[in-house]
Amino acid sequence: MPTLRIALAQVNSTVGDIAGNAASVRRWSRSAADAGAQLVAFPEMMLTGYPIEDLVFRQSLVTASRNALYQLAVDLAADGLGDLAVVVGYVDHEGAPGRKRRDASALLLGGEVVATYFKHHLPNYGVFDENRYFEPGNALTVVRFGGVDVALTVCEDLWQAGGPFTAARKAGVGMVLNINASPYELNKDDVRLPLVKRRAAEAGATVAYVNMVGAQDELVFDGDSMIVTAGGELLTRAGQFTEELLVQDLSLPAADSVPNQAPVEQPADDGMSITSVTAAVDARPGRSDKADGGIADRIADEEEIWSALVLGLRDYVNKNGFRSVILGLSGGIDSAVVATIALDALGPDRVFGVSMPSGYSSAHSRDDAAELAKRAGLDYRVEPIQPMVDAFLANLSLSGLAVENLQARVRGVILMALSNQEGHLVLTTGNKSELAVGYSTLYGDSVGGFNPLKDVPKTMVYRLARWRGSPIPSNSITKPPSAELRPDQKDSDSLPEYDVLDPILAGYVDHDMGRDDLIAAGNDEALVDRVLRMVDLAEYKRRQSAPGTKISGKAFGRDRRLPITNRFREGV
Amino acid sequence: MPTLRIALAQVNSTVGDIAGNAASVRRWSRSAADAGAQLVAFPEMMLTGYPIEDLVFRQSLVTASRNALYQLAVDLAADGLGDLAVVVGYVDHEGAPGRKRRDASALLLGGEVVATYFKHHLPNYGVFDENRYFEPGNALTVVRFGGVDVALTVCEDLWQAGGPFTAARKAGVGMVLNINASPYELNKDDVRLPLVKRRAAEAGATVAYVNMVGAQDELVFDGDSMIVTAGGELLTRAGQFTEELLVQDLSLPAADSVPNQAPVEQPADDGMSITSVTAAVDARPGRSDKADGGIADRIADEEEIWSALVLGLRDYVNKNGFRSVILGLSGGIDSAVVATIALDALGPDRVFGVSMPSGYSSAHSRDDAAELAKRAGLDYRVEPIQPMVDAFLANLSLSGLAVENLQARVRGVILMALSNQEGHLVLTTGNKSELAVGYSTLYGDSVGGFNPLKDVPKTMVYRLARWRGSPIPSNSITKPPSAELRPDQKDSDSLPEYDVLDPILAGYVDHDMGRDDLIAAGNDEALVDRVLRMVDLAEYKRRQSAPGTKISGKAFGRDRRLPITNRFREGV
C-alpha cells in the first residue's frame, strides 16, 4: 500500500480578502512541505472566505476568485512547492459570466490547476441559502496522485446520503477529501465524527475532513478536522477554535487495487458521473520519519461556547478593523460576561467600560462594575445619566415605561457619542432570553455593532460566568437580575424565573414547537401563552438588533426568518 | 363551446390571520355568486397570508391551515354556495407532520375539497426562499367542471418555462388557473402581460391570473389580475393596488373537444404526471346577462410607486394594530414626502408631526415644516433639541462628527419617548440613496418602526414630490438638501449631486455591476471608487435599519444579503 503524508490546514480566511487568503495558502503550504506532506488540503471557499452571500452575484468577485486560483498554482510552483498537491476551495463559474456559479474545489500541482470539482449537495436550510447562489455539480472528480485515487468533495456532500460518496465507492477510490466551512453549533462536534465514519463506510475509503476556523459576522467555524479510515478508525483529530496544521501518514490502497463496487445500501449516486484525472507530476518523495497528528481532547460545553464567543468577537473586531470596543458596565451579569469575553478576545488595553448610574442604580451595582473593571484591568469611567435624563424630562411630559426607556436611551446616546469621539466599536449585551421576549429598550441598551450574547440563553450566561470565574464578581452572579430603571425593579416583576422561561423559549424559538406541545411537555399553560405572545410581539425589535455569534441550532438572524406582521396566535 | 363565468378575487389577506382570511373568502364568494359567477379564484396562500416565511416550520400553523380549508368547504356549502367552485391557496403537508410541506391550491365545491394541486416551480431568488420551505409538486391537477377541463397552477409555475403549462397542453385543458402572491416592482406589470400570453400559447388554453393585493412587511402586492385567451387576446384586467372582483364570461372549449398535444417547442414537462378529477357537483346555472370585467388603464410610474408606498404603509400600520404614526418634520423633502404618504394612507387624524429644531436649523426649515403640517392638517408640535444636546455636551467632551450625530440621536430619543408615551409608530424617512451610502445617523434619524422611502432613490423622491404637489411645500422641493447638523451644511459637501450618485447606486446595488462596468458606463472613476467604498462600509447600518416597502428589482432587506465583514474592494 502506498503511503501518503496528508496535511489538513485548519486555517482562518477572511471574506473578500482574496489576496490575503491566497497568501495564507502559500504560507501554510510552505509549513506543510516543511513537515514532509505530499498533499495539503484547505477549507471550502478558502480563497474568497465563507459565506460570501450575495457577493457571489458580483461577477467581478467570481472572476477575481478564479484568476486568483490560477495565479496561486503558478505562485506555489515559484515558491518551490510545485510537487506539493494543494487542494483549495474557491468560487468558480462555468459558461457565460453570471451563469452556473459553483462552490468549487481544485487540486493544484506543478504550477497548474490539475483538477476541479463542483459541490453536489447544496444546503438551503438554517443559515444556508446555497440554492440561491450555486448550481450543483454532477461529476465526481478523482485524481490519481502518489499511486492513490483521491476523490474531491465539499462540505454538504458529507451531510447528505448518496451522491459523491456513493459515486466514490463505485469509482473505487482510496481516499475522499472533504473540505468544509461548517459553522459551529453546541455539540456539533459530537455529530461530526459518527457522520464521517458513516460516509467512510459508504465510500469504502479513508475520509479526510478539513474545516475552517474563524468567524464571519454571526457564524463561527470551529475546525475539528479529522481523518477516519474506511473501517471507522479515527486516526487523527484537530482541536476546536485553533488554527493548526494536522499532519498524518496514511497507508492507502494503490489505485488499481480497489475494485469498483456497487453501493452498500439505498443511497443512490444521484446520476453522478466520474471524471478521472492522472496528475502529470508525481508526489514529492515521502520521508522516513513518522507523522501522527494525534487526537485532540474534547472540551466541556462551557469552554466550547466560551471559545466560540471569544473567537466570534475577536474576528468581528479585527476583520472589520476596529481598534477597541466599549460597553456599558451595569454591575449585572450580562455586561460582566461580555466584558470578560472581550478581555479574552482582545486583551485589557482594547476594552473600555463605562458605568452610567442613575438615581435607581444601587450602590452594589456601581461597586460590582468597578470591581470587574479593576480585576480585568480595563479602562473604566463613570458617566452619571441624571443630568441628561432631567433635560428630557424638563421638556417632555413623560411617565411610566417612557421614563424607563428614556434612561436606557440616554445610555445608548452616551455610548455612541464615545464611540464616535474615540473610535470604539460598541458592544451590546442582551442575551437570547431577553431578545426572545423583547425585554430590552430599542435604541437603548440594544445599541451596538455586535452582541456576543445574542444566542446565549440567560441560564447559560450564568453557567458561563461560574465556569469563567474572576474577573466576574461573584456578586454579579448571585444577586437577582434587575434592569434598575425604576425603584426596586427586578426582572422577575416582568418575567418568569429564567430556569422556567428558558425551556419554553428553547422549545418555541429553537425547535418550532407549538403551544400544545409545549404544554404537553409540562410547561404551565398560562405562562406558555404569555411567553409565546411576548416572543411574537418582539420580532420588530429583533429585526433591528445587532449581529452576534451563533452557538445554537437556531439563532436569531439569518437562521430564523419570521414576519413582523403576523396575526397567528397559537391556540387562539 | 360551454360558457363559464369566472370571478377573480383580487383581495387582501393577512399573514397568520387564518380565521379572518377564511371569512374574507366567504364574503367575496358571496359577492361572486351574486354576480353570477360559477367559479371564483383567490390568491396564493389566501388562507395563511403570504409570505409566512419560517412560520411554515410551525406544524401547528400548517395543521391550522389545512383544517381551515376543510372547514371552509363546509362553511361555503352552509352559506348556500355549495355549487360555486372556489379555488383558494393555502399551506398543506403530505405524509408525517413536518415533512413535505406544500404551497397548495384547492378547489372547493359541494362542501368538499374536490381537488388539490401543489406548486411545482419554487422561486429561490430575490426575496424568495421557497426551496427552504416547500417540496415541489410533480402532478398537474385537472378538474372537469361545467364541461371544461381546468388546470390548477400557482404563481412561479407561470414564470418558468416548462412544467405545469406544458403538462396542461398535453392534458388538453380548456383553461389554466394561476393563483398568485406576486410582489410589486416598478414596471412588473409590463412584464406580466407578455408572460401570461406566452404561457397561454404554450398551454394552448385560456389563462386566468389572479394576484393578491395588499402589503406584508417589506412587500406590496399590486393585483393586476387578468385573463388572456390561448390566442393571446387580453379579455379583462384589474387595476393595481385595489381590492376588486373581476368577473368575466368565458367561452371555453368543451372538455373532450381539446386534443392532447405535444409541447410546441423545447419546454419539457419536467416529468409531471396528470391527475384528473371530475367534479361530482355541476356548475351552478349560467345567467343570460353579460359579464365583462373591462380593462383597467395603466398608470404612470409616479402614481404606481406612490400607490405602492401608501398601501405598504397603511397595511403595516393597520395589520400591526397601530392607531397612529409620528415622524420628525425637518422642512426637507424626505420628511415632507413621508408625511404626505402617511396622510394618504391613514388620514390627517392619525399622523403626528414633530419639528425638532437646533441652533443650526434655518428659519426656512421651520417654516416649511409648519407649512406642510398646516396644509396637510396634521397634529404638529415643536420640540427644540438644544437643552438636551447641551446637557450631553456639558457632561461629555465631544467634537466634530460626534456632535453632529448627537443632535440626530437626541431627536431619535424624543420621537421614541413620544411613541412610548402616546402609542404612535415612529416613521423614519431615509431614502434609498442615503441608506446605500450610509448618509444617516444610526439610532438618530434612522430610528423608527417603518420607512416608506427605504427603497426610493433620492431622485425618485423628487419626482414623487413634484407629481404629488401640495401639501408638500414647493420650497422643500427646490432648496438644496441639507442635514443641518453644522453651520451651512449641504448634502453636496459629502456626496455628489443625486443625479450623478443615483445611477452609480442603481448599477452597483440593484444590478451587481462591478467597478469596471460602472466606469465603462461613463461614470467618473474616482467617484465610482468613493461611492462603492461608502456602500460597502454602510452595510452594518443597513443591517439595523427599519423595514420599508420594496418598489425596485432589488431592495435592501431580504432581497440583498451581503456580509458586514467584507474586505472585497472592487479594482483594488
Side-chain angles (χ1 to χ4, degrees):
Chain A
M1 302 232 287
T3 297
L4 276 181
R5 185 168 295 181
I6 304 289
L8 302 182
Q10 175 172 302
V11 301
N12 193 339
S13 59
T14 298
V15 161
D17 187 10
I18 296 178
N21 296 334
S24 173
V25 171
R26 291 168 69 180
R27 222 164 36 240
W28 285 97
S29 293
R30 162 61 56 204
S31 301
D34 290 347
Q38 292 152 304
L39 182 152
V40 57
F42 289 85
E44 181 180 14
M45 295 242 200
M46 176 70 202
L47 286 184
T48 58
Y50 183 92
I52 58 171
E53 304 185 79
D54 280 12
L55 282 176
V56 80
F57 297 139
R58 204 86 57 71
Q59 182 56 35
S60 48
L61 181 138
V62 179
T63 301
S65 160
R66 201 180 147 82
N67 291 347
L69 181 82
Y70 283 82
Q71 186 59 47
L72 179 60
V74 172
D75 290 343
L76 285 165
D79 291 345
L81 300 172
D83 58 355
L84 174 69
V86 176
V87 173
V88 61
Y90 71 110
V91 178
D92 206 342
H93 69 92
E94 247 194 330
R99 312 291 299 176
K100 291 207 173 188
R101 288 174 302 269
R102 308 287 198 171
D103 184 337
S105 174
L107 189 144
L108 312 181
L109 188 67
E112 297 193 340
V113 178
V114 168
T116 58
Y117 166 80
F118 302 142
K119 187 176 185 177
H120 176 69
H121 288 299
L122 299 174
N124 203 69
Y125 52 81
V127 299
F128 304 109
D129 287 316
E130 293 198 1
N131 286 341
R132 178 182 176 90
Y133 300 125
F134 302 112
E135 294 280 323
N138 285 307
L140 182 72
T141 301
V142 178
V143 184
R144 185 159 298 187
F145 172 75
V148 178
D149 277 348
V150 178
L152 305 181
T153 63
V154 180
C155 202
E156 187 77 2
D157 291 338
L158 182 88
W159 291 81
Q160 306 293 329
F165 283 77
T166 308
R169 181 183 189 86
K170 283 174 70 177
V173 306
M175 179 169 73
V176 181
L177 259 183
N178 183 247
I179 66 173
N180 291 264
S182 172
Y184 171 73
E185 291 170 15
L186 178 59
N187 297 328
K188 197 172 186 181
D189 58 325
D190 300 339
V191 178
R192 278 193 198 113
L193 178 57
L195 187 70
V196 175
K197 287 185 178 180
R198 195 174 333 137
R199 293 290 171 260
E202 272 173 31
T206 294
V207 173
Y209 170 102
V210 58
N211 190 19
M212 184 172 136
V213 70
Q216 168 62 23
D217 290 350
E218 302 209 313
L219 302 182
V220 174
F221 302 87
D222 61 325
D224 193 26
S225 304
M226 66 182 88
I227 300 176
V228 170
T229 66
E233 187 190 355
L234 175 65
L235 295 180
T236 186
R237 187 173 193 179
Q240 290 175 279
F241 309 106
T242 55
E243 277 204 316
E244 58 184 276
L245 192 72
L246 194 67
V247 184
Q248 183 75 21
D249 285 332
L250 297 176
S251 288
L252 296 166
D256 288 327
S257 71
V258 189
N260 295 9
Q261 286 181 283
V264 261
E265 32 178 80
Q266 64 276 47
D269 62 6
D270 294 6
M272 286 191 85
S273 62
I274 293 164
T275 304
S276 296
V277 178
T278 300
V281 176
D282 204 4
R284 62 208 328 252
R287 288 212 311 224
S288 57
D289 58 337
K290 282 276 174 203
D292 185 334
I295 297 178
D297 290 335
R298 297 294 93 194
I299 55 181
D301 286 359
E302 289 86 350
E303 183 178 354
E304 199 180 293
I305 293 175
W306 190 270
S307 303
L309 299 178
V310 166
L311 181 54
L313 177 61
R314 182 191 297 137
D315 271 14
Y316 190 86
V317 169
N318 289 341
K319 290 180 178 180
N320 283 294
F322 288 100
R323 211 181 49 228
S324 51
V325 298
I326 192 168
L327 75 163
L329 296 179
S330 70
I333 189 168
D334 294 327
S335 59
V337 167
V338 170
T340 308
I341 291 167
L343 172 73
D344 289 357
L346 307 168
D349 296 346
R350 298 175 71 188
V351 184
F352 292 73
V354 189
S355 167
M356 294 175 284
S358 75
Y360 304 128
S361 298
S362 57
H364 66 75
S365 289
R366 302 177 200 212
D367 294 347
D368 294 341
E371 176 71 11
L372 167 77
K374 188 177 155 201
R375 288 193 199 173
L378 313 181
D379 182 283
Y380 180 69
R381 75 191 98 179
V382 180
E383 300 284 358
I385 63 170
Q386 212 57 49
M388 291 78 118
V389 171
D390 288 343
F392 283 97
L393 294 177
N395 287 280
L396 302 167
S397 296
L398 303 179
S399 59
L401 186 66
V403 177
E404 293 184 34
N405 283 336
L406 173 64
Q407 299 164 62
R409 292 198 178 105
V410 165
R411 292 190 176 109
V413 173
I414 291 173
L415 287 175
M416 292 307 296
L418 296 174
S419 163
N420 285 157
Q421 189 67 32
E422 302 172 6
H424 317 291
L425 172 71
V426 176
L427 299 184
T428 179
T429 65
N431 59 66
K432 189 177 193 177
S433 310
E434 285 182 5
L435 259 87
V437 296
Y439 195 69
S440 67
T441 300
L442 187 57
Y443 320 125
D445 51 304
S446 71
V447 310
F450 199 78
N451 179 1
L453 298 185
K454 186 175 188 183
D455 198 31
V456 185
K458 185 82 173 188
T459 47
M460 179 57 78
V461 175
Y462 280 108
R463 281 177 60 189
L464 293 176
R466 284 193 207 94
W467 172 82
R468 183 60 177 76
S470 181
I472 300 167
S474 57
N475 197 35
S476 296
I477 302 176
T478 53
K479 68 186 173 188
S482 166
E484 296 193 334
L485 294 172
R486 59 173 188 263
D488 300 323
Q489 184 181 28
K490 298 275 175 295
D491 287 15
S492 54
D493 301 343
S494 310
L495 301 176
E497 297 296 334
Y498 287 107
D499 57 351
V500 174
L501 176 63
D502 278 353
I504 298 176
L505 295 176
Y508 191 58
V509 173
D510 294 23
H511 301 293
D512 294 306
M513 286 172 71
R515 174 184 182 273
D516 295 346
D517 291 341
L518 287 164
I519 292 166
N523 297 294
D524 178 74
E525 181 168 340
L527 184 61
V528 166
D529 286 339
R530 199 172 126 230
V531 170
L532 267 47
R533 189 154 173 79
M534 284 193 284
V535 173
D536 289 349
L537 291 180
E539 185 57 33
Y540 79 99
K541 287 190 190 179
R542 286 190 290 272
R543 198 65 72 89
Q544 296 191 34
S545 63
T549 303
K550 168 183 162 78
I551 61 160
S552 76
K554 188 174 291 198
F556 295 124
R558 292 276 197 271
D559 225 1
R560 184 176 183 271
R561 306 174 190 180
L562 283 182
I564 297 174
T565 306
N566 167 21
R567 293 215 187 132
F568 186 61
R569 298 287 173 260
E570 294 269 347
V572 176
Chain B
M1 303 230 288
T3 297
L4 275 182
R5 183 168 295 181
I6 304 290
L8 302 182
Q10 176 172 302
V11 300
N12 193 339
S13 59
T14 298
V15 160
D17 186 12
I18 297 178
N21 296 334
S24 173
V25 172
R26 291 169 69 180
R27 220 163 40 240
W28 286 96
S29 294
R30 162 60 57 203
S31 301
D34 290 347
Q38 292 153 305
L39 182 152
V40 58
F42 289 85
E44 181 180 15
M45 295 241 199
M46 176 70 203
L47 285 182
T48 56
Y50 182 90
I52 58 172
E53 305 185 76
D54 280 12
L55 282 176
V56 79
F57 297 139
R58 205 85 58 69
Q59 181 56 35
S60 48
L61 181 138
V62 180
T63 301
S65 160
R66 201 180 147 84
N67 290 347
L69 181 82
Y70 283 82
Q71 187 59 47
L72 178 60
V74 172
D75 290 342
L76 285 166
D79 290 344
L81 301 172
D83 58 355
L84 174 70
V86 176
V87 173
V88 60
Y90 71 109
V91 177
D92 205 343
H93 68 90
E94 248 194 329
R99 311 292 297 177
K100 289 206 174 189
R101 290 173 301 267
R102 307 287 196 170
D103 184 338
S105 173
L107 187 145
L108 313 181
L109 187 67
E112 297 194 339
V113 178
V114 168
T116 57
Y117 166 79
F118 302 142
K119 186 176 187 176
H120 176 70
H121 287 300
L122 300 174
N124 203 70
Y125 52 80
V127 299
F128 304 109
D129 287 314
E130 293 197 1
N131 286 341
R132 178 180 175 92
Y133 299 126
F134 302 113
E135 294 281 322
N138 285 308
L140 181 72
T141 300
V142 177
V143 184
R144 185 159 297 187
F145 171 75
V148 178
D149 277 348
V150 178
L152 305 181
T153 65
V154 179
C155 201
E156 187 77 2
D157 291 338
L158 181 88
W159 290 81
Q160 306 293 331
F165 282 77
T166 309
R169 181 184 189 86
K170 283 175 70 176
V173 306
M175 179 169 74
V176 180
L177 259 181
N178 182 246
I179 66 173
N180 290 264
S182 172
Y184 171 72
E185 291 171 13
L186 178 60
N187 298 328
K188 197 173 186 182
D189 57 326
D190 301 338
V191 178
R192 277 193 197 113
L193 178 58
L195 186 70
V196 175
K197 287 184 179 181
R198 196 176 328 139
R199 293 291 171 259
E202 272 173 31
T206 294
V207 173
Y209 169 100
V210 58
N211 189 19
M212 182 173 138
V213 70
Q216 167 63 24
D217 289 351
E218 302 209 310
L219 302 182
V220 174
F221 301 87
D222 61 326
D224 193 26
S225 303
M226 66 182 88
I227 301 177
V228 170
T229 67
E233 187 190 356
L234 175 66
L235 296 180
T236 186
R237 187 172 192 179
Q240 290 177 278
F241 309 107
T242 54
E243 277 204 318
E244 58 184 276
L245 192 73
L246 194 67
V247 185
Q248 182 75 22
D249 286 331
L250 297 175
S251 288
L252 295 166
D256 287 327
S257 71
V258 189
N260 296 7
Q261 287 180 282
V264 261
E265 31 178 81
Q266 62 276 46
D269 62 6
D270 294 6
M272 287 191 84
S273 62
I274 294 164
T275 305
S276 295
V277 178
T278 301
V281 176
D282 204 2
R284 62 206 331 250
R287 287 211 310 223
S288 57
D289 60 336
K290 281 278 175 204
D292 185 334
I295 296 178
D297 290 336
R298 296 296 92 193
I299 55 180
D301 286 359
E302 290 85 351
E303 183 178 353
E304 198 180 291
I305 293 175
W306 190 269
S307 303
L309 299 177
V310 166
L311 180 55
L313 177 61
R314 182 192 296 137
D315 272 14
Y316 190 86
V317 169
N318 289 341
K319 290 180 178 180
N320 282 295
F322 288 99
R323 210 181 50 228
S324 51
V325 298
I326 192 168
L327 76 161
L329 297 180
S330 69
I333 189 168
D334 294 327
S335 60
V337 167
V338 170
T340 308
I341 292 167
L343 172 72
D344 289 357
L346 307 168
D349 296 346
R350 299 175 69 188
V351 184
F352 292 72
V354 189
S355 167
M356 294 175 283
S358 76
Y360 303 127
S361 298
S362 56
H364 65 75
S365 290
R366 303 177 200 211
D367 294 347
D368 294 341
E371 176 70 12
L372 167 78
K374 189 177 155 201
R375 288 192 198 175
L378 313 180
D379 183 284
Y380 180 69
R381 75 191 97 178
V382 179
E383 301 284 359
I385 64 170
Q386 210 57 51
M388 291 77 117
V389 171
D390 288 344
F392 283 97
L393 293 177
N395 287 279
L396 300 167
S397 297
L398 303 179
S399 59
L401 186 67
V403 177
E404 293 183 34
N405 283 336
L406 173 64
Q407 299 165 61
R409 292 199 177 104
V410 165
R411 292 190 176 110
V413 173
I414 291 173
L415 287 175
M416 293 306 296
L418 295 174
S419 163
N420 286 157
Q421 189 68 32
E422 302 172 8
H424 318 290
L425 172 70
V426 176
L427 299 185
T428 178
T429 66
N431 58 68
K432 190 177 192 176
S433 311
E434 284 181 8
L435 259 87
V437 296
Y439 195 67
S440 67
T441 300
L442 188 58
Y443 320 126
D445 51 304
S446 72
V447 308
F450 199 78
N451 179 1
L453 298 184
K454 186 176 188 183
D455 197 31
V456 185
K458 186 82 172 190
T459 47
M460 179 57 77
V461 175
Y462 281 107
R463 281 177 60 187
L464 293 175
R466 285 194 205 94
W467 173 82
R468 182 62 177 74
S470 182
I472 301 167
S474 57
N475 198 36
S476 295
I477 302 176
T478 53
K479 68 186 175 189
S482 167
E484 296 193 333
L485 294 172
R486 61 173 187 262
D488 300 321
Q489 184 180 28
K490 298 275 174 295
D491 286 16
S492 54
D493 302 344
S494 310
L495 301 176
E497 297 297 332
Y498 287 108
D499 56 353
V500 174
L501 176 63
D502 278 354
I504 299 175
L505 295 176
Y508 192 57
V509 173
D510 293 24
H511 301 293
D512 294 305
M513 286 171 71
R515 174 185 182 274
D516 296 345
D517 291 341
L518 286 164
I519 292 166
N523 297 293
D524 178 74
E525 180 168 339
L527 184 60
V528 165
D529 286 338
R530 199 172 127 229
V531 170
L532 267 47
R533 188 153 173 82
M534 284 193 284
V535 173
D536 288 349
L537 290 179
E539 186 57 33
Y540 79 100
K541 288 190 190 178
R542 287 189 289 273
R543 199 64 72 88
Q544 297 191 36
S545 64
T549 302
K550 168 183 162 80
I551 61 159
S552 76
K554 188 173 291 195
F556 295 126
R558 293 276 198 267
D559 226 1
R560 185 177 182 271
R561 307 176 189 177
L562 284 182
I564 297 174
T565 307
N566 168 20
R567 293 217 187 133
F568 186 61
R569 297 286 173 263
E570 295 269 347
V572 176

